[in-house]
Amino acid sequence: MPRDARPVLPGAAAAPPSPGGQIFRVMGLVLAILWPIEVARLLFDVPGPVTWGASGLFLTFLALALATGDLGTRVLTLLLLAGIAALVHVDAAGPEAIGGFQDAMIFAAFLPSVFLLRNAVAGDRRLVDYRDRVAAADPERKKGLVLIGGHLIGSTLTVGAFAVLSPVVPADAGERERRDLALAAIFGVCLSVIWSPVFVAMAVVSEFMPQIALWKFVLVGLALAALGLGVAFARIRVPNRLALAADGVRGLSGILPWVVATAVFIVGLRSATGLSTLEAAALTLPPLAAALLTMQPGGGVRQALTATGRSLGRLGAEISIVAWAFTLGAVMRASPTVEGTVRGVLTPDIPAPLLVAGIVGGMMAVVVMGGHPIVIASILLAVFASVDTQVHDLVVGAAVLLGWGCSAMIAPAGLIMIVSTGMFGVRRASVIFSDSAVLLVGFASAGIGLLVALNALMG
């Protein structure tokens, strides 16, 4: 890609695939209608028929997503639907399922808002300047700058960070160099999963645990991310690692205020109102994107809107899985059957360290075998909401975030793994089965230790 080109985000610039392109266009149109309706439902008391009409549109979108999804998405969706149907039958939980489904409709505004902000940030010239700076660095410094860049850029662009950073790989780079840079980018982005409210992970955890202030999850997540960056930088062979990290932060000082503003505004709106994190983000991200676009050349607005519009029809798999997993979690939380089963397994005398390690390790094991993190996270959060344990709710949520971030680093079917390896031109197996596994285990263990210590301090 030319050095002065606008970063292109995965799936943002290409036309919907064929065959089935017409269905993707219909899905994009449905989502474009649902997006403002969901925002309006947050701001105003809309008539009941509007809510039920939106529910019908959302169900249509999910049905089209099932019809156009790949085999893995279809199987997972059907399993989630089977779980919902079974609990509805056993516990007569029809009202809970309907309520959970309508609550999940906010994803029709949340994910498009994330894509809009992602496309707005991607047009910032300062990202291109940072990429050029990284490309000129020596190999070891380059790894550190990609790590910091992946973390800071990824906190707002999510997987779009790989589109910005992957061109720093030299054309004649060998497999080892490509893999090292891919690993640095993946590790940086996945650490931002643990604290950034732009990711679905934070939204889901705070949605299932509304009793915990969002800023507390963000603060603990930042501490875990800082720990992870420290562990990663310890493996980079440069004389002054702290100076290298500071150099990376300075290089992104132009967009850092937008990273901070995104987190602060979402946390602030969530804390000052009765809105959930998903709802606060759906209201906050579009104005932030608009403000950022006003600082860019005239063509930037058109490109960001066009890229976002083209992305809407491609969000079927993501929205389908999160919506049905969210609905299943809502039904599980209200299920006497689930509560009775869990109480027989998770007794109050189980040590907190074992439970925290079980959450993190269990998520990593399930995801590496092909599971989806939101599914296992929703189940875990619903399960722990049904019992009293020695682990504080804040620590449970933080453990899920830690497990989500760690599992994303090795998930063979995860979006982060698919996009990153494709853009850096490396094999997924070479990334997953590499010496970075030692780094991942070390970070996960240190993170578990930090959470156990926090739990002990909280009594």
Side-chain angles (χ1 to χ4, degrees):
M1 181 165 70
R3 290 286 173 85
D4 59 349
R6 176 187 176 87
V8 178
L9 298 177
S18 294
Q22 185 62 36
I23 298 180
F24 282 92
R25 283 190 286 272
V26 171
M27 291 171 64
L29 177 61
V30 171
L31 202 55
I33 296 171
L34 277 172
W35 187 358
I37 290 177
E38 284 305 301
V39 172
R41 290 179 63 223
L42 297 178
L43 298 175
F44 311 105
D45 290 328
V46 301
V50 174
T51 297
W52 286 105
S55 299
L57 278 176
F58 193 49
L59 191 59
T60 299
F61 179 87
L62 296 180
L64 293 173
L66 179 62
T68 56
D70 58 25
L71 179 60
T73 299
R74 292 180 182 181
V75 170
L76 182 53
T77 300
L78 292 175
L79 288 174
L80 291 170
L81 289 171
I84 294 169
L87 289 177
V88 166
H89 174 72
V90 171
D91 295 320
E96 288 78 8
I98 293 173
F101 178 81
Q102 291 185 333
D103 288 342
M105 286 166 57
I106 189 59
F107 285 107
F110 171 73
L111 283 176
S113 297
V114 169
F115 269 68
L116 177 61
L117 179 65
R118 180 193 299 183
N119 288 320
V121 175
D124 197 303
R125 173 71 206 187
R126 289 166 292 193
L127 292 182
V128 181
D129 293 339
Y130 182 78
R131 186 183 66 202
D132 292 343
R133 182 176 181 176
V134 175
D138 64 70
E140 282 299 309
R141 287 183 59 82
K142 187 179 294 185
K143 285 193 291 187
L145 294 174
V146 167
L147 176 65
I148 289 293
H151 186 66
L152 294 180
I153 299 171
S155 66
T156 48
L157 262 68
T158 61
V159 295
F162 301 121
V164 177
L165 295 171
S166 57
V168 306
V169 180
D172 59 348
E175 173 71 14
R176 176 76 186 195
E177 184 175 0
R178 286 181 174 277
R179 191 192 69 181
D180 286 349
L181 291 174
L183 286 169
I186 291 169
F187 203 80
V189 171
C190 289
L191 288 177
S192 66
V193 171
I194 302 173
W195 69 267
S196 173
V198 171
F199 281 91
V200 173
M202 181 64 73
V204 169
V205 169
S206 62
E207 194 78 16
F208 275 92
M209 292 189 160
Q211 71 275 20
I212 303 296
L214 176 60
W215 65 265
K216 294 182 179 180
F217 281 129
V218 172
L219 193 61
V220 176
L222 282 170
L224 289 168
L227 177 64
L229 289 172
V231 171
F233 265 97
R235 292 170 58 90
I236 297 176
R237 297 185 296 274
V238 293
N240 193 331
R241 298 179 179 90
L242 188 60
L244 176 58
D247 189 33
V249 173
R250 279 194 302 270
L252 290 168
S253 59
I255 70 161
L256 195 56
W258 295 99
V259 174
V260 175
T262 300
V264 168
F265 286 157
I266 294 176
V267 171
L269 188 59
R270 162 72 190 273
S271 302
T273 67
L275 296 173
S276 68
T277 301
L278 288 165
E279 294 167 341
L283 291 178
T284 299
L285 298 184
L288 281 173
L292 185 57
L293 288 172
T294 61
M295 303 172 59
Q296 297 178 13
V301 177
R302 179 180 58 81
Q303 289 178 332
L305 293 178
T306 300
T308 302
R310 288 175 174 171
S311 300
L312 294 183
R314 292 174 170 266
L315 294 179
E318 289 87 346
I319 292 180
S320 176
I321 292 172
V322 298
W324 292 125
F326 195 82
T327 304
L328 174 61
V331 175
M332 289 181 66
R333 276 186 296 178
S335 168
T337 301
V338 171
E339 181 177 0
T341 303
V342 170
R343 287 186 183 278
V345 177
L346 291 180
T347 57
D349 59 338
I350 298 178
L354 183 60
L355 288 176
V356 173
I359 292 172
V360 177
M363 287 195 68
M364 292 173 65
V366 169
V367 172
V368 79
M369 291 187 293
H372 198 288
I374 190 173
V375 177
I376 183 62
S378 298
I379 292 173
L380 284 171
L381 291 168
V383 163
F384 275 87
S386 303
V387 294
D388 293 324
T389 67
Q390 297 183 26
V391 184
H392 192 277
D393 286 348
L394 173 61
V395 177
V396 170
V400 170
L401 289 169
L402 175 60
W404 199 315
C406 289
S407 61
M409 299 179 193
I410 52 175
L415 183 62
I416 287 177
M417 184 63 64
I418 292 171
V419 173
S420 61
T421 53
M423 290 199 162
F424 279 87
V426 294
R427 294 175 295 108
R428 264 180 266 178
S430 71
V431 172
I432 297 171
F433 302 105
S434 66
D435 53 4
S436 67
V438 177
L439 174 66
L440 177 58
V441 171
F443 166 58
S445 300
I448 290 169
L450 179 62
L451 293 180
V452 170
L454 175 62
N455 191 69
L457 286 174
M458 298 179 72

